[in-house]
Amino acid sequence: SAVISQKPSRDICQRGTSLTIQCQVDSQVTMMFWYRQQPGQSLTLIATANQGSEATYESGFVIDKFPISRPNLTFSTLTVSNMSPEDSSIYLCSVSLSGANVLTFGAGSRLTVL
Amino acid sequence: AQTVTQSQPEMSVQEAETVTLSCTYDTSENNYYLFWYKQPPSRQMILVIRQEAYKQQNATENRFSVNFQKAAKSFSLKISDSQLGDTAMYFCAFMGNNAGNMLTFGGGTRLMVKP
């Protein structure tokens, strides 16, 4: 399985600012996903990060709020823009190796917005 | 769209005993994958067990086993000989065969193993 490094592990941010979360994988992966886990809740898919093209966003999530980059097959970033306290969540990167039909998750980034 | 339901928000079990967590799902697909993930307080999502829908045999991983009832769309997790380290949130998840490896998660069950 892949090893995923996610940074930052946690951060406290001010309302109105933006934060970029990085996801680095130790091998080339076909599929990369970003999930959000609000306090006490389950995981919700934000978007699929596509290498070399725009991310595919799920209903309720938009590119202006959550811009995503995926410059190569081992790296992706998620930016949470113009943050509000409602954005306080854990953001998780996950990947799927080609043909594996199983997701491996990073340790998550806990974001607190004041 | 697929939905995954975990009807037990919280459960507890005594150490060394057996506990079963419930999960039901709804799909029109015939081929798919089902998963149980564990999330301890460290928040790392850990794969516990995986079941392929076309396989009739229930998956087993050491102390963890599933009861997969395809017709009933039920996928329960049995933890035998519970250990304190099993204390965590447990999420049931569904992956469709044509879903591009996307996972749909249930609401989770918080399991507490008591000494």
Side-chain angles (χ1 to χ4, degrees):
Chain A
S1 62
V3 176
I4 303 171
S5 300
Q6 207 175 317
K7 293 192 291 187
S9 174
R10 59 178 65 225
D11 208 340
I12 299 173
C13 303
Q14 296 300 315
R15 181 195 299 259
T17 63
S18 298
L19 179 76
T20 296
I21 302 167
Q22 298 180 0
C23 178
Q24 178 74 56
V25 190
D26 68 341
S27 56
Q28 293 187 341
V29 295
T30 307
M31 309 295 290
M32 294 184 78
F33 305 91
W34 287 98
Y35 283 84
R36 181 177 74 180
Q37 186 178 24
Q38 294 177 300
Q41 302 296 314
S42 185
L43 284 75
T44 301
L45 181 64
I46 298 172
T48 302
N50 303 307
Q51 195 268 327
S53 63
E54 238 178 50
T56 304
Y57 289 85
E58 297 301 304
S59 176
F61 298 95
V62 295
I63 187 171
D64 289 347
K65 177 66 176 177
F66 298 101
I68 288 170
S69 78
R70 186 160 178 209
N72 55 53
L73 292 175
T74 64
F75 186 78
S76 178
T77 66
L78 168 75
T79 298
V80 186
S81 303
N82 188 25
M83 289 183 285
S84 67
E86 291 71 33
D87 294 319
S88 296
S89 296
I90 298 171
Y91 293 86
L92 298 107
C93 170
S94 68
V95 304
S96 174
L97 297 175
S98 178
N101 294 116
V102 64
L103 292 193
T104 301
F105 286 82
S109 299
R110 183 185 294 274
L111 180 61
T112 302
V113 185
L114 303 178
Chain B
Q2 288 81 15
T3 58
V4 179
T5 302
Q6 294 178 246
S7 59
Q8 306 150 315
E10 293 187 0
M11 293 192 71
S12 63
V13 62
Q14 292 295 132
E15 194 175 9
E17 296 193 343
T18 295
V19 64
T20 298
L21 308 184
S22 301
C23 173
T24 59
Y25 58 95
D26 188 26
T27 183
S28 58
E29 297 186 42
N30 190 48
N31 295 322
Y32 47 87
Y33 303 87
L34 295 163
F35 306 83
W36 280 97
Y37 280 87
K38 167 185 175 181
Q39 188 180 40
S42 67
R43 75 174 182 261
Q44 175 74 56
M45 291 286 286
I46 301 166
L47 177 66
V48 175
I49 201 164
R50 172 177 177 260
Q51 175 79 41
E52 297 162 7
Y54 65 86
K55 289 187 177 180
Q56 292 186 342
Q57 187 173 5
N58 289 324
T60 299
E61 287 288 342
N62 301 314
R63 298 183 295 108
F64 299 88
S65 61
V66 299
N67 183 5
F68 173 48
Q69 301 290 328
K70 190 173 184 180
K73 296 180 181 174
S74 170
F75 183 61
S76 61
L77 174 69
K78 185 172 82 171
I79 306 174
S80 303
D81 185 25
S82 297
Q83 300 176 359
L84 296 178
D86 295 334
T87 293
M89 282 291 290
Y90 287 81
F91 292 98
C92 178
F94 174 98
M95 179 189 290
N97 201 37
N98 298 315
N101 284 13
M102 289 183 344
L103 279 177
T104 300
F105 285 90
T109 297
R110 183 177 302 278
L111 177 67
M112 173 73 72
V113 179
K114 298 179 178 179

